[in-house]
C-alpha cells in the first residue's frame, strides 16, 4: 500500500515537473518562466553597464558613454574596436531581435515560432537568401580584408557579451519560446543585409500586370497602365548621357499569354516609402545647408533602428544602425550628412519556365536544361518537421510552383532573377560614408553599393547632392515589368548601367535635392528605367521647397510631419462636381458639406479624411469589379488613371457594373458609393461612438514575434499613403532626422519612436512613441570628446585582455 | 529542536537552490522536509507547499519594489490572461507551492515506508 503511494506520487511529481519545464506550442515552460529568480521578473532590471569589464577581443581600452536615452557614445582607439563595441551594445540591447532577424533571413523562424511562420520560411529559402549571403561572404573574404576584419570584430563584440550572459538574463522572448541565443558570425550579418535588401526590393507586380495584359488586351492595357504622371517632379529633371543605348523593344516579354496564379504573400506595402531632401545655403535661413531624411519601414518593436555615436581617430559619426550589422546606415559626421530612400527601380525579374520529367528539366532560351533540386528541411516548434523540395535553374531559384501555390499551373514554374543574388560588398559603402569628408568621398563610397536600388542624399557645409544607385540592368524598352517567357528569351545577360550613367546631381539650380521614391529622372535620359514610382509625396515636397525663398529647421520638421493629402486635393473637387445634391438625404448632405469644407489635411482628429478615403475606395472597388471578380490576380490601375477616367470619360464601360443589367455611369457609381459609405459609417458610429481619422487608421507598433503584450497600444496620429508623413496601421517613419550645418560641427535632431531598448520591461522600450506622434524631436547629442559628461550619463569601460 | 534545525537548513538549501540551480531542484529540500520533519500527511503537504510559496512570493514582491516602473509583470499577466500582476505573483507562487507540497508528501511517505520496513 505504501509502496504504491510512493510510486504514484513519484510519477505524478515527475510528470508535473516535466510539464512545467517544457513548452506547449504557445504556452511557455511555466516553471522557469515564472520563477522570480530566473524568469520574467529578472527582465525588470535595466541593462545599463557601469564601471569596467575585461573582454576578449578588444584591442585597446574602449569607453562607452550612455546618455539619458540610452544612446551609446563609443570612444575607441581603432576602427576594429569601434565595431567590437558596436557588436557589444547591439547585443546588450537587441540580442533577441538580431537573432530573430537572422533566423527570418535563414528561413528557420518556425523552429522557434511554430507553425504560423512556415510559409514565410519556405518563401525565404526558395528565394535562396542563404546561398546569396554565402556567395557574398566568399566575395568579401577574397577581395576586402578590411571589411572581413570589421565583420569579425563586430561578431566578437556580440559573442563577448554572450560569453558573460547567464540564462536568467536572457531576453524575455528566449524564455517564452524556450530557446537560447547562438553565437554570432559574419554570415549572420550578411544574412540580415540580404533580408533588408529583399524587403526593400520586394515589391513587384510582374505577375499581376501580365494577367492584366491578357485580360484587357494591348490597346486598353497601354491606356490603363500609362505612367505619365510619374514625369512630374522627378528626383532629377534631366540627365543626358552620350551613351548609345538599345531602344529595341523586348517583344518576347509581351508574348506571355498564360494566366499566372502565384501570389507573393510577403510583399511590403507600396506607397508608404521614405523621404529625403536638403536645401543649399542659398535656400537656407541660416546660410548653411539643412538636411532631412525620414526612412519609412514597418513600425516594429524593437525598432529596426538603433541610435549610436562612434568616435575613433579616423572619424566621429552619429546616426542609426541596424542591429546585426556594423556601421552607421543613416547619419552625419563632422563634415557631411547622408540619407536613404528606396530607389524603387525594378531589380527583380520573373521568368516563367516550362518543366518536364517530374521537374527534372526546364526549357530556357531555346534549350532543355537540367534542374538542380534541393531538399529543405524545416523544424517546427511543437510539430513534426516539414519538407520542401526547392528547384534551381540557371536563371535563378524557382520560388513559385504548384508545391507552394496549389492553384498555379502544373509544370510552369516561376524563377526569380534578383540582383541581390549577385555577390557584392555593400557594407563598404556605409564604412566609407561614415568617414566621408566631401562630395567626392561620398561618390566613391556609393560605387560599392549594388543591391537594393537606393537613392542616397547628401549634404555638407558647401554642397548638396543626390544619386540613384545600385546594380540596374541596361534594359530594352518595355522590359522587366511583365513576367518573361523563359523559353522565348534570348538568354543573353544584360549589363548594368554604369554608375556615372545613373541619374545623380550636385548643387542643382533649384537649390534643393529631394526624393520621395519617385521617378529618378524626368527628361533626356537614354536608358529605360522601370520601377514602382510614387506620384504624391514628391509633388508635395517639391511644391513646399520651391515655393519658399528660405527654409529653416522648423520648416523641415513641419514638412516631415505634413499631413497634406495631395491626392484628395486632386480627386475630391472632381468627385464633388459630379454629385447632384438633390439626390441626397440630409445625412448625405452633411457628409458632402464636411468634405467641401475640408482643408485636405489627413489630421488625426478630423472625420473628413475617413469620408474621402471610404468614398474613393468604394468607388474604385466598384469601378474595377471586372478585376476583383477574377480568380487570378490582376493589377488594379493606379488611382490617377481611375481619376482620369472619372474626369474625362465618365461614360466609360469600366463604370458599368458587371453584375447589374442596367448600364451605370461614373456618376451612378459615385452616388452609390457615397450613399453606401455614409450609411456604413453612420451605423458604425451609432454603435461604437464618434470616429476620427486617427482612430480608424489605428496605427500601432507590433512586436516582431507578434506578441500582443509587447506591442504598443493604439497610437493616435495623422497621415496616410498620400501624405509626406506617410502612415498606415503598421507602417511609418521609424526614424526622422534633420541636420543643420554651420561654422562649427553640425547640430541635429532626431526621433526613433521604438526607443533604444529591445527589452519590453525596460523604460527605454517604446519610450519615443508619444513624442513621435506629436511631431516632436530630440536634440541629438553629438559629442566631441568623452569629457563633456553630465550627471545623466553612465560611463562603461571595456578593457583589453592584451 | 532537532526538527527546527532541520527545517532551517532545508529552508536555506531551498533558497540557495532557487538562486543557483534550475527551479525544479527545490523538490530535493521539499522531499527532505517531508521525510525529516512531518508527522501527518496533510501537514507534510502544507509544509512543502508553504516554504516555496512564501519564498517565491517574497522574491516577486521584492523585485517588484526594486523595479516598480517596469511593465514586464503586467505584460506577462496580459500574455497569460491573468487580470493583474499581483494575481500573477500569487499564481506563480501557488504553482511552485504545489510542486513543493507533493514533493514533501512524497518525502513523508518514503519515511513511512522505511519505518514500516524496519518493523
Amino acid at each position: 500500500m505504501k509502496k504504491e503511494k510512493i510510486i504514484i506520487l513519484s510519477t505524478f511529481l515527475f510528470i508535473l515537473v516535466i510539464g512545467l519545464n517544457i513548452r506547449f506550442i504557445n504556452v511557455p515552460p511555466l516553471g522557469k518562466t515564472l520563477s522570480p529568480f530566473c524568469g520574467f521578473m529578472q527582465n525588470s532590471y535595466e541593462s545599463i553597464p557601469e564601471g569596467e569589464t575585461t573582454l576578449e577581443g578588444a584591442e585597446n581600452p574602449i569607453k562607452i558613454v550612455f546618455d539619458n536615452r540610452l544612446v551609446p557614445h563609443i570612444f575607441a582607439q581603432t576602427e576594429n574596436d569601434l565595431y567590437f563595441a558596436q557588436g557589444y551594445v547591439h547585443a546588450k540591447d537587441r540580442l533577441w531581435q538580431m537573432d530573430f532577424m537572422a533566423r527570418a533571413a535563414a528561413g528557420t523562424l518556425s523552429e522557434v515560432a511554430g507553425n504560423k511562420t512556415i510559409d514565410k520560411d519556405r518563401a525565404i529559402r526558395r528565394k535562396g537568401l542563404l546561398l546569396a549571403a554565402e556567395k557574398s561572404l566568399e566575395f568579401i573574404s577574397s577581395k576586402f580584408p578590411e571589411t572581413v576584419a570589421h565583420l569579425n570584430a563586430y561578431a566578437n563584440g556580440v559573442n563577448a557579451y554572450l560569453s558573460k550572459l547567464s540564462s536568467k538574463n536572457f531576453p524575455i522572448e528566449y524564455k517564452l519560446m524556450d530557446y537560447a541565443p547562438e553565437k554570432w558570425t559574419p554570415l549572420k550579418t550578411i544574412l540580415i543585409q540580404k533580408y533588408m535588401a529583399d524587403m526593400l526590393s520586394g515589391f513587384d507586380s510582374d505577375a499581376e500586370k501580365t494577367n492584366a495584359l491578357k485580360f484587357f488586351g494591348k490597346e486598353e492595357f497601354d491606356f490603363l497602365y500609362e505612367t505619365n504622371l510619374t514625369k512630374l517632379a522627378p528626383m532629377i529633371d534631366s540627365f543626358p548621357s552620350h551613351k548609345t543605348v538599345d531602344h529595341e523593344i523586348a517583344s518576347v516579354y509581351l508574348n506571355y499569354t498564360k494566366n499566372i496564379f502565384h501570389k507573393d504573400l510577403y510583399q511590403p506595402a507600396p506607397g508608404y516609402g521614405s523621404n529625403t531632401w536638403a536645401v543649399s545655403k542659398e535656400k537656407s535661413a541660416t546660410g548653411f545647408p539643412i538636411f532631412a531624411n525620414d526612412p519609412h519601414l514597418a513600425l516594429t518593436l524593437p525598432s529596426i533602428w538603433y541610435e549610436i555615436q562612434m568616435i575613433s581617430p579616423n572619424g566621429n559619426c552619429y546616426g542609426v544602425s541596424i542591429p546585426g550589422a556594423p556601421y552607421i546606415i543613416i547619419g552625419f559626421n563632422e563634415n557631411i550628412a547622408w540619407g536613404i530612400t528606396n530607389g524603387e527601380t525594378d531589380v527583380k525579374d520573373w521568368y516563367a519556365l516550362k518543366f518536364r520529367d517530374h521537374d527534372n528539366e526546364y526549357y530556357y532560351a531555346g534549350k532543355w536544361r537540367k534542374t538542380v533540386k534541393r531538399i529543405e528541411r524545416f523544424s517546427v516548434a511543437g510539430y513534426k518537421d516539414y519538407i520542401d523540395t526547392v528547384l534551381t535553374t540557371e536563371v535563378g531559384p524557382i520560388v513559385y510552383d504548384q508545391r507552394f501555390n496549389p492553384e498555379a499551373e502544373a509544370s510552369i514554374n516561376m524563377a526569380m532573377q534578383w540582383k541581390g543574388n549577385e555577390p557584392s560588398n555593400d557594407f563598404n559603402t556605409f564604412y566609407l560614408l561614415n568617414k566621408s569628408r566631401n562630395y567626392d568621398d561620398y561618390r566613391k563610397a556609393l560605387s560599392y553599393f549594388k543591391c537594393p536600388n537606393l537613392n542616397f542624399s547628401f549634404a555638407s557645409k558647401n554642397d548638396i547632392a543626390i544619386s540613384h544607385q545600385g546594380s540596374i540592368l541596361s534594359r530594352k524598352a518595355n522590359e522587366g515589368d511583365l513576367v518573361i517567357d523563359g523559353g522565348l528569351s534570348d538568354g543573353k545577360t544584360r549589363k548594368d548601367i554604369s554608375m556615372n550613367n545613373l541619374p545623380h546631381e550636385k548643387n542643382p539650380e533649384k537649390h534643393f535635392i529631394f526624393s520621395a521614391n519617385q521617378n529618378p529622372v524626368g527628361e533626356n535620359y537614354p536608358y529605360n528605367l522601370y520601377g514602382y514610382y510614387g506620384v504624391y509625396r514628391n509633388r508635395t515636397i517639391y511644391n513646399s521647397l520651391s515655393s519658399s525663398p528660405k527654409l529653416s529647421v522648423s520648416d523641415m520638421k513641419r514638412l516631415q510631419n505634413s499631413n497634406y493629402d495631395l491626392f484628395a486635393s486632386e480627386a475630391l473637387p472632381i468627385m464633388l462636381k459630379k454629385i447632384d445634391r438633390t439626390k441626397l438625404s440630409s445625412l448625405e448632405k452633411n457628409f458632402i458639406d464636411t468634405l467641401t469644407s475640408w482643408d485636405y489635411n489627413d489630421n488625426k482628429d478630423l472625420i473628413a479624411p475617413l469620408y474621402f478615403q471610404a468614398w474613393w475606395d468604394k468607388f474604385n472597388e466598384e469601378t474595377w469589379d471586372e478585376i476583383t471578380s477574377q480568380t487570378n490576380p490582376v493589377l488594379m490601375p493606379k488611382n490617377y488613371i481611375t481619376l482620369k477616367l472619372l474626369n474625362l470619360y465618365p461614360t466609360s464601360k469600366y463604370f458599368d457594373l458587371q453584375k447589374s443589367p442596367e448600364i451605370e455611369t461614373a456618376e451612378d457609381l459615385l452616388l452609390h458609393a457615397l450613399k453606401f459609405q455614409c450609411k456604413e459609417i453612420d451605423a458604425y458610429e451609432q454603435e461604437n461612438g464618434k470616429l476620427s481619422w486617427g482612430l480608424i487608421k489605428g496605427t500601432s507598433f507590433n512586436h516582431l514575434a507578434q506578441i500582443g503584450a509587447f506591442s504598443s497600444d493604439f497610437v493616435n496620429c495623422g497621415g496616410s499613403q498620400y501624405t509626406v508623413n506617410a502612415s498606415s496601421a503598421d507602417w511609418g517613419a521609424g526614424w526622422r532626422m534633420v541636420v543643420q550645418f554651420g561654422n562649427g560641427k553640425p547640430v541635429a535632431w532626431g526621433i526613433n519612436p521604438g526607443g533604444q531598448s529591445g527589452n519590453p520591461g525596460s523604460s527605454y522600450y517604446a519610450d519615443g512613441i508619444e513624442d513621435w506622434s506629436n511631431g516632436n524631436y530630440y536634440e541629438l547629442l553629438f559629442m566631441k570628446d568623452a569629457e563633456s559628461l553630465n550627471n545623466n550619463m553612465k560611463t562603461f569601460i571595456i578593457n583589453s585582455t592584451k | 529542536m532537532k526538527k527546527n534545525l532541520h527545517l532551517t537548513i532545508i529552508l536555506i538549501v531551498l533558497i540557495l537552490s532557487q538562486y543557483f540551480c534550475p527551479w525544479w531542484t527545490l523538490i530535493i529540500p521539499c522531499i527532505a522536509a517531508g521525510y525529516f520533519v512531518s508527522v501527518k500527511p496533510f501537514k507534510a503537504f502544507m509544509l512543502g507547499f508553504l516554504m516555496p510559496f512564501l519564498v517565491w512570493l517574497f522574491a516577486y514582491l521584492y523585485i517588484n519594489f526594486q523595479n516598480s516602473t517596469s511593465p514586464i509583470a503586467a505584460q506577462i499577466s496580459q500574455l497569460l490572461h491573468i487580470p493583474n500582476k499581483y494575481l500573477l505573483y500569487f499564481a506563480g507562487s501557488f504553482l511552485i507551492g504545489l510542486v513543493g507540497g507533493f514533493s514533501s508528501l512524497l518525502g513523508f511517505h518514503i519515511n513511512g515506508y522505511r519505518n514500516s520496513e524496519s518493523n
Side-chain angles (χ1 to χ4, degrees), chain A residues 475-763:
Chain A
R475 294 187 184 278
K476 294 190 177 192
N478 284 88
E479 182 178 284
D481 61 336
L482 300 174
V483 172
I484 298 161
D485 185 331
L488 299 176
S489 165
D490 62 12
K492 294 200 188 115
T493 19
R494 305 264 182 267
K495 286 203 340 216
D496 288 344
I497 301 174
S498 72
M499 182 176 162
N500 283 325
N501 284 327
L502 285 172
H504 59 280
E505 71 180 1
K506 176 184 178 189
N507 297 331
E509 270 173 31
K510 59 187 192 276
H511 297 311
F512 63 89
I513 51 100
F514 74 120
S515 164
N517 317 110
Q518 83 271 43
N519 193 354
V521 64
E523 305 195 303
N524 301 323
Y525 190 63
Y527 294 89
N528 299 302
L529 286 184
Y530 166 72
Y532 304 95
Y533 306 127
V535 293
Y536 296 107
R537 286 178 287 114
N538 59 316
R539 291 187 289 138
T540 306
I541 294 170
Y542 181 87
N543 292 338
S544 245
L545 296 180
S546 56
S547 61
S548 312
K550 295 244 187 235
L551 291 129
S552 66
V553 165
S554 311
D555 293 325
M556 303 292 144
K557 292 177 179 175
R558 226 185 331 266
L559 187 53
Q560 282 185 340
N561 285 285
S562 164
N563 291 329
Y564 186 74
D565 189 332
L566 188 64
F567 174 59
S569 78
E570 294 177 340
L572 198 51
I574 296 171
M575 292 160 79
L576 289 174
K577 232 183 359 197
K578 298 210 180 255
I579 290 293
D580 182 356
R581 250 187 109 82
T582 64
K583 295 193 178 153
L584 301 180
S585 71
S586 68
L587 192 69
E588 288 150 10
K589 286 202 177 99
N590 222 14
F591 186 93
I592 290 294
D593 290 340
T594 309
L595 284 172
T596 311
S597 59
W598 181 33
D599 61 2
Y600 304 120
N601 279 306
D602 292 337
N603 289 336
K604 64 188 185 198
D605 297 321
L606 299 179
I607 190 86
L610 169 59
Y611 285 176
F612 168 69
Q613 288 226 7
W615 187 17
W616 173 266
D617 287 348
K618 185 73 184 164
F619 166 69
N620 193 44
E621 182 194 307
E622 298 209 312
T623 302
W624 298 112
D625 58 340
E626 292 88 338
I627 289 178
T628 53
S629 59
Q630 294 295 307
T631 43
N632 56 325
V634 173
L635 187 65
M636 264 307 205
K638 291 254 186 277
N639 275 347
Y640 51 85
I641 299 293
T642 311
L643 190 60
K644 179 164 86 171
L645 284 173
L646 171 63
N647 195 23
L648 302 176
Y649 307 95
T651 54
S652 158
K653 62 184 178 206
Y654 298 116
F655 294 118
D656 181 26
L657 283 175
Q658 301 292 288
K659 59 180 192 258
S660 85
E662 298 91 12
I663 303 205
E664 287 85 7
T665 63
E667 284 90 351
D668 296 328
L669 283 195
L670 261 184
L671 188 64
H672 179 255
L674 189 160
K675 285 181 181 286
F676 181 89
Q677 293 294 43
C678 190
K679 185 162 156 227
E680 287 274 304
I681 293 173
D682 186 55
Y684 185 92
E685 283 189 311
Q686 299 287 353
E687 233 189 90
N688 300 301
K690 282 246 148 268
L691 279 176
S692 65
W693 176 241
L695 215 62
I696 201 76
K697 178 158 61 76
T699 301
S700 72
F701 292 68
N702 292 317
H703 183 261
L704 274 180
Q706 319 276 24
I707 298 176
F710 301 150
S711 304
S712 79
D713 293 328
F714 152 68
V715 182
N716 198 5
C717 59
S720 72
Q721 58 181 297
Y722 307 114
T723 64
V724 177
N725 175 28
S727 173
S728 80
D730 51 17
W731 198 265
W735 175 241
R736 290 184 183 129
M737 181 179 84
V738 178
V739 183
Q740 161 76 70
F741 286 91
N743 274 318
K745 63 181 168 89
V747 182
W749 295 263
I751 180 136
N752 166 18
Q756 289 292 93
S757 178
N759 175 10
S762 161
S763 331

Side-chain angles (χ1 to χ4, degrees), chain A residues 21 34 37 44-45 709 760-761, chain B residues 18 23 56 60 66-67 70 75:
Chain A
N21 213 37
L34 292 180
F37 296 90
S44 63
Y45 292 98
Chain B
Q18 293 304 282
W23 67 275
W56 271 33
Y60 277 130
Q66 272 189 318
N67 302 304
S70 173
Q75 288 160 343

Side-chain angles (χ1 to χ4, degrees), chain A residues 181-205:
Chain A
E182 290 171 1
K183 283 198 117 166
W184 197 262
T185 62
L187 181 64
K188 287 187 178 181
T189 295
I190 300 181
L191 262 173
I192 284 186
Q193 186 252 327
K194 289 294 174 195
Y195 186 71
M196 294 293 303
D198 177 52
M199 189 173 21
L200 292 172
S201 49
F203 182 76
D204 78 70
S205 56

Side-chain angles (χ1 to χ4, degrees), chain A residues 125-140:
Chain A
R125 291 213 209 171
R126 279 159 168 262
K127 286 181 192 173
L129 246 58
L130 179 57
L131 294 173
E134 284 168 352
K135 266 193 355 207
S136 269
L137 180 57
E138 212 179 287
F139 173 76
I140 292 172

